[in-house]
Amino acid sequence: MANAQKDAAIAELAEKFRSSSAAVLTEYRGLTVAQLAQLRKNLRGNASYSVVKNTLTARAAKEAGVESAFEGQFVGPNAIAFVEGDPVEAAKGLRDFAKDHPLLVIKGGLFDGNPLSPEQINQLANLESREVLLGKLAGAMKAQLTQAAYLFNAPLSQTARVVDALRAKVEEQGPVSADAPESTPEGGDEA
């Protein structure tokens, strides 16, 4: 590879490191081209999966300021999943593929500028998707709003029940006539 091509490849990889929300380094030793194509298909929409040269990737990681996340891991045949979509879905895709194809080894990664161990990537994969979490949040908020509406309406409905009970009592006693003599207090003088 000529120096100009190497510099262009390094610049492209560094830009991917900077623009991706996450990156996961994997070793793919022993996987077939068809299996790698299947992995790329599984990750489509959330991540791009690229086979990389270790020396160029190490230089690109240093240029992007993320070399500490991958320190000492650029050995062997490596590929990186650059996550542009949902990091949870990308981590699930890698984890599920690795379960079916044990030759894929997740070595580490980077999420929002912080290094991730393989265990942390697995924990990320165990999270529910963004849509499910947002749905649960919306459900919890709706329940709280329903409870608040009930509490706000309770005094009004209690007042309505009291007024209705007074009306029923007055109807039960019958109408008060205007001709009826007024009663005087005991011991009072009549004028």
Side-chain angles (χ1 to χ4, degrees), residues 2-182:
N3 281 341
Q5 288 176 322
K6 287 181 183 179
D7 290 340
I10 291 168
E12 182 182 346
L13 285 170
E15 181 55 34
K16 282 186 176 183
F17 276 121
R18 284 190 282 271
S19 65
S20 300
S21 62
V24 180
L25 181 67
T26 64
E27 183 176 316
Y28 65 92
R29 186 187 320 259
L31 292 175
T32 65
V33 171
Q35 290 169 329
L36 289 175
Q38 181 61 42
L39 177 58
R40 284 185 180 100
K41 183 179 174 186
N42 292 352
L43 295 175
R44 190 169 299 134
N46 291 310
S48 61
Y49 190 72
S50 306
V51 173
V52 294
K53 289 191 81 149
N54 292 330
T55 54
L56 298 180
T57 308
R59 287 177 54 192
K62 185 174 184 176
E63 185 177 309
V66 297
E67 72 274 8
S68 63
F70 302 105
E71 207 166 300
Q73 295 181 357
F74 291 121
V75 291
N78 290 317
I80 297 182
F82 290 103
V83 180
E84 298 96 22
D86 185 5
V88 173
E89 289 301 316
K92 282 181 184 184
L94 288 167
R95 180 204 55 200
D96 294 345
F97 189 86
K99 281 182 185 177
D100 296 338
H101 303 87
L103 294 175
L104 180 74
V105 177
I106 297 174
K107 297 172 84 174
L110 175 73
F111 180 63
D112 284 338
N114 300 311
L116 293 176
S117 67
E119 294 80 25
Q120 290 170 318
I121 294 169
N122 194 37
Q123 289 173 349
L124 185 64
N126 289 334
L127 290 176
E128 293 175 328
S129 71
R130 182 177 189 271
E131 290 77 21
V132 170
L133 292 174
L134 287 173
K136 286 184 176 184
L137 177 64
M141 290 175 66
K142 181 181 177 190
Q144 291 297 320
L145 288 174
T146 302
Q147 185 179 17
Y150 173 77
L151 289 174
F152 291 138
N153 285 331
L156 293 175
S157 62
Q158 287 174 347
T159 304
R161 284 193 296 271
V162 168
V163 168
D164 192 44
L166 286 172
R167 183 190 50 78
K169 187 173 183 179
V170 167
E171 286 176 359
E172 187 179 286
Q173 291 176 350
V176 177
S177 135
D179 304 340
E182 290 185 25

